[in-house]
Amino acid sequence: MDKYEILKKYFGYDAFRNAQEALIDNILRGNDTLGIMPTGAGKSLCYQIPALLMDGITLVISPLISLMKDQVGSLNQAGIHAAFLNSSLTASQYYKALGFAKQGRYPIIYVAPERLVTEEFLDFALNSNIVMVAVDEAHCVSQWGQDFRPSYLKIVEFIKRLPKRPVVSAFTATATKEVRDDIMDILMLQDPMVVTTGFDRNNLYFGVMSVKDRYGAIKHYLETHRQDGGIIYCLTRKQVEEVCGRLIQDGFSVTRYHAGLRDEERKKNQDDFIYDRVPVIVCTSAFGMGIDKSNVRFVLHYGMPKNIESYYQEAGRAGRDGEPAECILYYSSRDVITNQLFIDNNQDNQELDAVARAIVKERDKERLRKMTFYCFTNECLRDYILKYFGEYGSNYCGNCSNCLTQFQQVDVTEIARSLLGCVESSRQRYGTTVIIDTVHGANTAKIKNYRMDENPYYGTLNKVQTYKIRQVLNYLQLEEYLFVTSDDYAIVKLTVKSREIMEEGRQIVMKLAKEPDRPAKESQPKGRKSKGALFGEGQFTQKEESLFEKLRGLRTEIAREEKVPPYIVFSDKTLTHMCIVKPRTKEEMLGVSGVGEFKVEKYGERFLGCIKEFAVDHAEEAQ
Ligand code: ADP
Ligand code: MG
Ligand code: ZN
């Protein structure tokens, strides 16, 4: 068999994606390889397929038990012999698996890094033909990354002890140069081929909403997405409790996850979510590492995370199957303060000296600022993220809330002048709210106390709505015409660029959302990609939608019998394609993306039966 046949037979796919083929070919030529691709790009196949073509055993190093279980489950479902060796096995299970491994039953074995240099494992490894060591989540070797694992340092030690050096391949979704260099150095890759693909995830819709009633907005989202499952990230444990509690009261099926829960409850809640027993999980950032669930249809952020890295990682847990999914951030200006507190109270860097700590703090504040600007910008959100990671996009993606909002160019020079004038004349001592209230001419106790009602700019913008003044202020900050200190007071200061407006008469034109003629009923903008769109079939019809639900029900039933998460039986994407193709025979079924020979034999009959039944029911309806 060649690589194409394996791709089709076991995994049910017709073609490789961008970088997969290059990586696979390089490994098969016997060269070390480093693949840097975003979440959901399909890194696993890049080592699994060569493993099946090479004459010997591939060891896959993975940091988490849940990841190993998931991957081995998927391989077994596809008809490939694979096993994992980690601390979730009892001693007798472990020795049994090791025994089978010695007999050469498994072409692919997942191992926890801390097992590698144990005596039993070495006894097996030194007497077997290990042809490749594949390091998944390879950024775990780097202290620069967020997930450093000291046990990953054992990998090189292990490789050195093998009688013959195997091919070493490494994979990660972390793009920074420091991490990449660390991976190559620490794993001692020999003249590796490095393949990096773009970081865009074009099936993800990005949205930012600045709403007063955040809870109401999230509730509305769930109400209008009853069929879907997803994650709601909160900033604090307290928020998790609050949001989760209210949603349960309002009749939604949701569960929760944060570091304050006992281990058993955390594990149970996580499993409920992964096995589709509960569609929605409300959690802190503690949730997610090691979650490979491919059918997460939305990731909502009840609160802004501390930086773009975290946001993209968390949001990126949506839509791993490549089907359309949504990432929406519900922003409130209080989030900035909460995050500043986190930064100020960060205990992670105790071992650093005072100077180094101050540098880290400054860096964290700068990252927070960039995150805040994400919430302010009226430009393409996807482009903003990609630029942050050093990629250049087209500034229009058509699949984010800014690209789908109608904007108009508005001259806001007068507003900008008033704001800057007010800041200057009050000697740069006040926060954003006081400045905005002053130019708007508010009649509050604070304004009187500070005697801002005597400021020459008091009330100059009394006809402009405050939210609009705030948008302009945000924009001036984004463009560095003014600066807001990152402490609780959020004091507005002038910058070197302020002069351009105040003295040089620069005109300021910015994009502002067009006022809707009528208040929009749907909070969601139209025109996003929906089911089926990625197969070039346009929208799903009502009929296909109900077939999808039927197939999904069958999938759940099978998953229970097999004791695996539903997405391991078939991904959402595969079910979607099945609704479009509506296969009538096993032959036709093989044409569905993600259906391989083994799965056709195993489940084909039942899914064909379900589709046939559906066709009959609908034929009767039509009469
Ligand atoms: P990563 O580890 O890069 O985050 P995975 O290896 O988990 O991604 O793959 C994500 C999804 O993409 C899986 O459902 C996988 O089956 C699917 N996939 C991988 N390669 C292909 C391909 N060539 N065609 C279609 N789907 C693919
Ligand atoms: Mg992976
Ligand atoms: Zn866009």
Side-chain angles (χ1 to χ4, degrees):
M1 261 198 290
D2 64 20
K3 62 185 181 210
Y4 301 106
E5 285 163 348
I6 290 189
L7 182 70
K8 184 72 191 156
K9 179 171 163 122
Y10 291 106
F11 300 98
Y13 299 132
D14 290 327
F16 286 106
R17 291 183 182 149
N18 298 355
Q20 284 177 325
E21 203 165 356
L23 287 162
I24 291 171
D25 289 344
N26 195 57
I27 292 174
L28 289 174
R29 279 194 292 268
N31 301 327
D32 284 1
T33 305
L34 170 57
I36 305 175
M37 295 149 87
T39 307
K43 291 185 282 295
S44 324
L45 289 193
C46 298
Y47 54 82
Q48 289 166 345
I49 289 182
L52 296 175
L53 287 166
M54 289 158 97
D55 199 12
I57 297 171
T58 289
L59 299 177
V60 183
I61 319 297
S62 177
L64 289 174
I65 291 172
S66 58
L67 280 179
M68 294 190 217
K69 217 172 128 188
D70 213 78
Q71 299 247 340
V72 169
S74 289
L75 288 170
N76 290 341
Q77 284 290 321
I80 297 166
H81 291 286
F84 55 78
L85 298 172
N86 59 39
S87 61
S88 74
L89 300 179
T90 62
S92 72
Q93 285 173 326
Y94 185 78
Y95 286 111
K96 195 166 157 204
L98 209 52
F100 285 149
K102 280 182 189 158
Q103 294 165 16
R105 274 230 211 160
Y106 308 119
I108 304 179
I109 300 172
Y110 282 73
V111 201
E114 55 276 6
R115 294 270 153 174
L116 288 172
V117 287
T118 59
E119 215 171 295
E120 304 88 23
F121 189 78
L122 279 173
D123 173 50
F124 149 71
L126 298 182
N127 296 299
S128 304
N129 182 23
I130 310 289
V131 284
M132 168 161 60
V133 172
V135 185
D136 204 3
E137 314 291 345
H139 58 279
C140 291
V141 297
S142 170
Q143 309 218 27
W144 286 99
Q146 315 195 352
D147 309 312
F148 173 57
R149 307 234 148 197
S151 58
Y152 259 58
L153 302 175
K154 300 201 164 123
I155 299 171
V156 193
E157 192 187 331
F158 168 76
I159 292 172
K160 279 190 184 150
R161 296 188 61 166
L162 292 175
K164 183 167 169 278
R165 188 180 182 281
V167 178
V168 182
S169 60
F171 300 87
T172 180
T174 306
T176 62
K177 186 176 178 320
E178 291 91 346
V179 172
R180 191 179 62 196
D181 290 347
D182 264 7
I183 294 174
M184 292 196 279
D185 293 346
I186 298 172
L187 290 178
M188 297 172 72
L189 299 185
Q190 295 178 358
D191 194 13
M193 172 163 109
V194 182
V195 177
T196 312
T197 58
F199 269 68
D200 186 20
R201 306 268 316 275
N202 65 14
N203 61 317
L204 299 186
Y205 162 86
F206 288 99
V208 171
M209 289 184 92
S210 193
V211 283
K212 279 226 173 68
D213 175 15
R214 272 202 278 203
Y215 177 77
I218 291 218
K219 186 175 149 206
H220 177 74
Y221 187 92
L222 296 189
E223 266 161 1
T224 48
H225 293 81
R226 294 244 176 220
Q227 315 283 22
D228 297 339
I231 308 175
I232 302 175
Y233 276 107
C234 297
L235 287 187
T236 62
R237 294 176 194 181
K238 196 166 144 249
Q239 266 181 1
V240 171
E241 293 297 333
E242 233 171 74
V243 172
C244 184
R246 285 181 76 180
L247 286 173
I248 288 173
Q249 262 183 5
D250 284 329
F252 292 97
S253 169
V254 301
T255 186
R256 61 187 178 160
Y257 189 105
H258 59 68
L261 301 175
R262 277 180 304 128
D263 282 356
E264 305 98 82
E265 185 184 348
R266 271 217 311 269
K267 182 162 187 325
K268 178 180 178 298
N269 295 353
Q270 174 170 325
D271 281 352
D272 281 348
F273 177 65
I274 288 177
Y275 286 81
D276 286 351
R277 293 190 285 256
V278 178
V280 176
I281 192 159
V282 186
C283 55
T284 60
S285 59
F287 178 79
M289 169 72 169
I291 304 294
D292 255 359
K293 183 173 162 64
S294 74
N295 59 339
V296 174
R297 296 269 66 87
F298 57 81
V299 173
L300 309 184
H301 275 78
Y302 187 97
M304 178 186 74
K306 60 180 189 290
N307 54 42
I308 299 272
E309 286 90 340
S310 308
Y311 181 65
Y312 204 49
Q313 189 176 48
E314 289 163 11
R317 297 196 168 112
R320 292 181 81 111
D321 52 14
E323 275 287 272
E326 302 191 335
C327 312
I328 302 174
L329 196 166
Y330 296 85
Y331 168 79
S332 148
S333 51
R334 263 169 307 168
D335 300 340
V336 179
I337 298 169
T338 311
N339 275 300
Q340 249 139 34
L341 282 176
F342 285 156
I343 294 174
D344 288 334
N345 300 329
N346 186 359
Q347 304 293 325
D348 290 351
N349 301 308
Q350 292 303 333
E351 78 281 11
L352 299 179
D353 62 54
V355 175
R357 253 205 317 263
I359 292 172
V360 170
K361 200 162 167 175
E362 222 13 77
R363 190 196 62 190
D364 288 350
K365 290 201 167 171
E366 186 52 33
R367 286 184 179 172
L368 175 59
R369 223 193 308 277
K370 295 260 170 63
M371 182 74 241
T372 314
F373 291 167
Y374 175 77
C375 301
F376 294 170
T377 183
N378 284 334
E379 304 295 324
C380 174
L381 293 173
R382 182 184 314 278
D383 205 51
Y384 184 94
I385 296 175
L386 292 177
K387 271 198 192 122
Y388 182 86
F389 291 116
E391 263 182 49
Y392 286 87
S394 59
N395 207 10
Y396 178 85
C397 73
N399 194 24
C400 77
S401 57
N402 285 346
C403 285
L404 293 173
T405 303
Q406 291 229 346
F407 287 104
Q408 52 194 355
Q409 297 288 344
V410 181
D411 186 327
V412 295
T413 314
E414 278 315 303
I415 301 178
R417 284 175 162 272
S418 286
L419 284 168
L420 292 177
C422 183
V423 172
E424 191 190 32
S425 58
S426 57
R427 285 182 283 137
Q428 312 184 45
R429 281 179 301 165
Y430 297 112
T432 50
T433 313
V434 169
I435 297 296
I436 291 170
D437 281 352
T438 303
V439 293
H440 188 60
N443 196 11
T444 63
K446 210 173 193 177
I447 294 292
K448 288 203 189 107
N449 272 344
Y450 294 157
R451 298 178 56 186
M452 286 299 272
D453 49 352
E454 292 164 25
N455 183 285
Y457 291 88
Y458 181 76
T460 46
L461 299 178
N462 60 358
K463 295 221 168 56
V464 186
Q465 285 150 303
T466 45
Y467 81 85
K468 196 166 167 192
I469 303 178
R470 188 170 284 279
Q471 277 190 336
V472 175
L473 191 138
N474 288 344
Y475 179 76
L476 293 175
Q477 195 187 339
L478 192 72
E479 295 292 317
E480 296 177 344
Y481 288 110
L482 48 79
F483 177 83
V484 178
T485 61
S486 35
D487 50 31
D488 288 3
Y489 307 107
I491 307 226
V492 192
K493 306 259 183 198
L494 299 179
T495 67
V496 283
K497 269 179 87 181
S498 305
R499 256 190 33 241
E500 294 176 20
I501 297 178
M502 297 164 70
E503 290 161 28
E504 292 164 19
R506 175 182 285 277
Q507 227 197 349
I508 301 294
V509 176
M510 71 177 279
K511 272 163 82 178
L512 282 172
K514 269 194 181 151
E515 310 279 335
D517 299 338
R518 268 173 285 124
K521 261 202 195 134
E522 212 20 49
S523 72
Q524 308 302 331
K526 290 186 209 90
R528 270 165 301 162
K529 288 180 183 164
S530 63
K531 265 196 214 112
L534 295 177
F535 294 105
E537 300 285 331
Q539 307 267 357
F540 246 36
T541 61
Q542 191 93 73
K543 199 169 141 189
E544 279 153 355
E545 201 61 67
S546 55
L547 176 57
F548 183 84
E549 286 313 311
K550 215 168 139 84
L551 296 180
R552 186 151 84 156
L554 175 59
R555 177 178 74 175
T556 307
E557 199 178 301
I558 293 175
R560 289 226 172 100
E561 293 163 19
E562 297 275 321
K563 299 194 174 55
V564 294
Y567 62 89
I568 284 185
V569 175
F570 282 133
S571 70
D572 277 12
K573 188 172 190 153
T574 298
L575 292 193
T576 303
H577 201 206
M578 217 179 271
C579 292
I580 290 165
V581 177
K582 299 190 190 65
R584 282 161 305 180
T585 61
K586 283 190 180 174
E587 273 299 284
E588 288 177 9
M589 186 71 122
L590 277 171
V592 174
S593 171
V595 182
E597 281 177 20
F598 194 74
K599 285 193 179 172
V600 161
E601 280 317 313
K602 215 165 161 191
Y603 308 129
E605 296 284 357
R606 291 171 78 177
F607 279 92
L608 287 171
C610 190
I611 294 166
K612 196 168 161 195
E613 202 179 61
F614 184 84
V616 172
D617 287 354
H618 281 264
E620 276 168 9
E621 262 171 38
Q623 279 171 4

